[in-house]
Amino acid sequence: MYISKIRIKNFRLLKDSLLLLDEEKKQDLSLLIGRNNSGKTSFIMLFDKFYRSENYKFNYDDFSLSLRDKILKIDKDTDIAEFSIHLILEIKYTKTESLENISDFILDLDPSIDTVKILFDCSINKEKLLKDLATTKNKEKFIQKNLGDYLDRKIYIFDDDENLKPENKH
């Protein structure tokens, strides 16, 4: 079993990044190499934010720069579906491997399917935020300081990209 694909959306420098891991070259050690300010730390920090406790909460600065201005202008008409931070993992497996660690994520018993797709999602609770913004004088400063208190983390299992549309998430 191995992670075959990692996709990151809207996290810091990683607006829409895709890392494909080759099955033929899977190894026990992986290195993340790149120029300064290319997203290496952001890549690692995203895993920390989703996998660690509440001490590693998401905040305003975790959103990509291109979204921050839009978040500051949030109102009742804002479609926040595009604001979510996503970490998508695709895990490939074979029927000879122990599936103990991923069995809860397998959607289909079809033996021809050998991939589990998991979406880790961090999205803004718009209704809760707007309610509190109504009583705030400096909306932008409030969002920058307190956005972490209005973010919901969820995990979704999906079998195709159609399931990732906001209207299909349950």
Side-chain angles (χ1 to χ4, degrees):
M1 162 179 352
Y2 71 100
I3 297 174
S4 61
K5 186 186 295 186
I6 301 171
R7 184 171 200 152
I8 297 172
K9 289 187 173 188
N10 298 328
F11 186 70
R12 298 182 183 176
L13 293 174
L14 306 172
K15 174 68 177 147
D16 191 0
S17 301
L18 177 64
L19 178 62
L20 298 172
L21 304 168
D22 188 356
E23 179 180 13
E24 302 299 317
K25 297 178 182 175
K26 63 181 175 180
Q27 301 185 8
D28 293 333
L29 175 66
S30 296
L31 299 175
L32 193 56
I33 300 170
R35 293 181 175 186
N36 288 344
N37 215 21
S38 64
K40 299 179 304 293
T41 301
S42 294
F43 181 87
I44 299 301
M45 287 303 300
L46 182 59
F47 281 87
D48 271 349
K49 296 271 186 176
F50 277 118
Y51 291 122
R52 292 204 185 196
S53 69
E54 285 297 310
N55 297 334
Y56 288 83
K57 290 188 343 181
F58 286 91
N59 60 57
Y60 173 78
D61 293 325
D62 288 327
F63 286 86
S64 64
L65 288 171
S66 62
L67 287 181
R68 291 182 195 169
D69 285 338
K70 293 177 184 178
I71 291 171
L72 293 176
K73 295 175 180 144
I74 194 169
D75 62 24
K76 64 179 178 57
D77 297 322
T78 304
D79 178 10
I80 60 161
E82 70 180 64
F83 294 1
S84 294
I85 294 172
H86 288 168
L87 169 63
I88 300 171
L89 300 179
E90 289 191 21
I91 303 169
K92 292 211 176 248
Y93 60 89
T94 64
K95 55 186 167 189
T96 60
E97 294 175 295
S98 169
L99 302 179
E100 176 181 0
N101 294 325
I102 62 168
S103 62
D104 290 342
F105 301 108
I106 296 176
L107 293 175
D108 197 326
L109 297 177
D110 181 346
S112 67
I113 296 175
D114 66 350
T115 304
V116 169
K117 298 177 182 182
I118 305 169
L119 164 64
F120 296 87
D121 178 87
C122 175
S123 57
I124 299 171
N125 185 329
K126 182 172 97 170
E127 292 74 29
K128 183 179 170 186
L129 177 60
L130 290 177
K131 181 182 173 194
D132 290 350
L133 282 175
T135 61
T136 303
K137 291 181 182 178
N138 190 333
K139 178 179 168 181
E140 290 184 4
K141 190 171 187 170
F142 181 87
I143 290 173
Q144 290 171 343
K145 184 178 178 188
N146 300 298
L147 186 63
D149 296 332
Y150 300 90
L151 299 175
D152 297 325
R153 292 191 290 187
K154 296 181 182 171
I155 300 173
Y156 298 95
I157 306 158
F158 65 100
D159 53 4
D160 66 49
D161 289 348
E162 281 294 309
N163 299 128
L164 296 179
K165 291 183 177 178
E167 64 271 15
N168 295 332
K169 289 184 196 173
H170 306 286

